[in-house]
């Protein structure tokens, strides 16, 4: 019943530009700070931080500010309140450094989005912190290529369904391009849309999922440059 | 050149429901915590926190998470890093309590929005933290009354102009209702739209501004119940 793919959504972080490495660097520095107080391996610091982040996401949502508050809470709990104010200030500074990191486009991204925009309407759909994501979109120099910039609190089927209603597009007319199978691909396939997975070397633990590679409306592209050809094949 | 007011925007915090009292309670508790280390009046705690918030808004944007990080930074600076991890944890808890506060509608708000919605398209336009604002809209039970919920990072003329383009509405066809002269009224008047100020007893220092009460497209309403009559008068 569809008249082909009309609208293509692109994820932003780790699809258009690097993001996860900055978060992982902050996590590593966090472990160095906490490691001055406790034995990292004994305390299971990595798992404790992840557990705090997972719990706090229901209150904070995604993004660097919530992550920073979760790091502060975790470090206080793990050190039994022994961590110094100076070290907690260093953790706040880590959060600020993420909010200020440079926006470095992935190879071939600009050309790929331009090629898709020549034949389809394209929108940018990202989750996380509204203010930070807007800053990155502006810094990327890519804003003008997209018909709309949509920053949502959660990328689930309900969010995509609302966006498709706003664009007056049936799910079968929509394809989503992104690095997260969980956020960018699975909910779109569930609605009846199309998904193009472009893997990024690092994936945050809370974004991991597995799509059946044989799914008829799913493709995996090695990089952004392959995306236009996938869309052309799908017609 | 307008065909009357067609679209009415309502602000959310302190226009539809109470918000600022929760922030002010958190500020008071923050001062009690810091007051155990230093003389509050000597240190100018209130002004120092405001200065940190003002500086950090360019990085954090608006909302409780950024405010909490600003409180942590300010308390560390004011106490010369003497504040304990336990007290810093209390400050994180203050931020969390704001994110969880109950959503209590102001008197007459539901009826006023319903009355306006019977004759106009109505949208909710708010700034701040995406995740928190969505939670409050859901908890308010008001979401169904609005054609769209717009959460923006800044309420300036550029943001309103973008929204009006998306709604395909000329500024003269748009009226904004809110408690902040700076965010809800001044930029809309500057674009050529209409503004209805509904004062709230408490105004955050960074939201203060003064509109000329004689402005031809400006009205002040004592409360939400008066809004439909103002719109009717304007036609």
């Amino acid at each position: 019943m569809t008249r082909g793919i009309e609208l293509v959504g692109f994820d932003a972080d780790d699809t258009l530009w690097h993001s996860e490495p900055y978060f992982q660097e902050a996590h590593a520095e966090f472990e160095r700070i906490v490691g001055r107080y406790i034995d990292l391996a004994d305390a299971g610091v990595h798992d404790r931080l992840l557990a705090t982040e997972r719990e706090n996401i229901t209150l904070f949502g995604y993004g660097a500010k919530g992550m920073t508050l979760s790091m502060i809470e975790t470090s206080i709990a793990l050190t039994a309140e022994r961590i110094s104010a100076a070290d907690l200030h260093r953790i706040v500074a880590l959060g600020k450094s993420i909010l200020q990191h440079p926006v470095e486009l992935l190879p071939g991204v600009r050309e790929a989005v331009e090629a898709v925009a020549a034949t389809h309407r394209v929108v940018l759909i990202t989750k996380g912190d509204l203010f930070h994501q807007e800053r990155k979109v502006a810094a990327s120099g890519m804003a003008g290529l997209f018909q709309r910039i949509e920053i949502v609190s959660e990328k689930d089927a309900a969010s995509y369904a609302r966006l498709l209603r706003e664009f007056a597009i049936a799910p079968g007319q929509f394809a989503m391009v992104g690095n997260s199978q969980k956020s960018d691909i699975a909910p779109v396939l569930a609605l009846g849309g199309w998904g193009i997975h472009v893997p990024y070397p690092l994936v945050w633990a809370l974004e991991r999922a597995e799509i059946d590679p044989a799914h008829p409306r799913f493709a995996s592209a090695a990089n952004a440059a392959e995306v236009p050809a996938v869309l052309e094949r799908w017609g």
Side-chain angles (χ1 to χ4, degrees), chain A:
Chain A
M1 296 299 290
T2 69
R3 293 163 295 133
I5 294 166
E6 298 199 351
L7 182 71
V8 179
F10 282 86
D11 170 55
D13 289 347
D14 299 321
T15 298
L16 301 183
W17 51 69
H18 297 282
S19 170
E20 185 60 17
Y22 297 102
F23 281 87
Q24 296 210 357
E25 277 169 31
H27 278 198
E29 179 62 21
F30 170 77
E31 295 195 3
R32 278 190 289 276
I33 294 169
V34 177
R36 290 181 212 133
Y37 297 86
I38 55 167
D39 184 294
L40 291 174
D42 279 2
V45 170
H46 185 271
D47 291 345
R48 285 286 292 271
L49 177 57
L50 197 64
T52 306
E53 286 185 315
R54 195 190 300 271
E55 192 181 311
N56 281 341
I57 271 177
T58 61
L59 195 56
F60 293 156
Y62 297 91
K65 288 180 292 187
M67 186 203 68
T68 308
L69 291 167
S70 291
M71 289 198 297
I72 290 169
E73 283 204 318
T74 306
S75 67
I76 293 171
L78 285 172
T79 64
E81 301 183 347
R82 286 184 299 120
I83 188 166
S84 71
D87 278 336
L88 286 168
H89 199 197
R90 286 184 188 101
I91 293 172
V92 174
L94 286 179
K96 286 188 161 183
S97 72
I98 289 179
L99 292 170
Q100 292 174 295
H101 77 68
V103 175
E104 193 193 341
L105 291 186
L106 286 159
V109 150
R110 170 172 282 280
E111 297 73 13
V113 175
E114 281 171 350
V116 175
T119 49
H120 300 75
R121 294 158 68 194
V122 295
V123 291
L124 188 151
I125 304 172
T126 181
K127 71 179 174 186
D129 185 86
L130 180 64
F131 198 77
H132 186 206
Q133 298 302 70
E134 283 189 359
R135 275 174 71 106
K136 289 199 274 191
V137 172
S140 75
M142 300 272 289
L145 291 176
F146 296 99
Q147 197 156 29
R148 282 264 285 277
I149 314 288
E150 288 286 342
I151 301 168
V152 298
S153 60
E154 186 62 271
K155 285 167 114 173
D156 53 15
S159 290
Y160 286 107
R162 179 179 58 75
L163 288 176
L164 294 177
R165 277 197 305 276
E166 279 185 23
F167 287 106
I169 287 281
Q173 299 172 301
F174 175 65
M176 182 72 195
V177 180
N179 75 299
S180 169
Q181 299 209 13
K182 182 176 170 190
S183 292
D184 301 320
I185 310 296
V188 175
L189 294 180
L191 286 174
W194 305 74
I196 304 178
H197 182 227
V198 185
Y200 187 84
L202 305 174
V203 179
W204 184 36
L206 299 189
E207 286 297 342
R208 286 175 199 151
E210 280 300 327
I211 308 285
D212 175 5
H215 191 292
R217 296 190 312 278
F218 173 72
S220 204
N223 52 56
E226 293 185 2
V227 169
V230 173
L231 287 168
E232 200 174 338
R233 203 168 72 224
W234 282 343

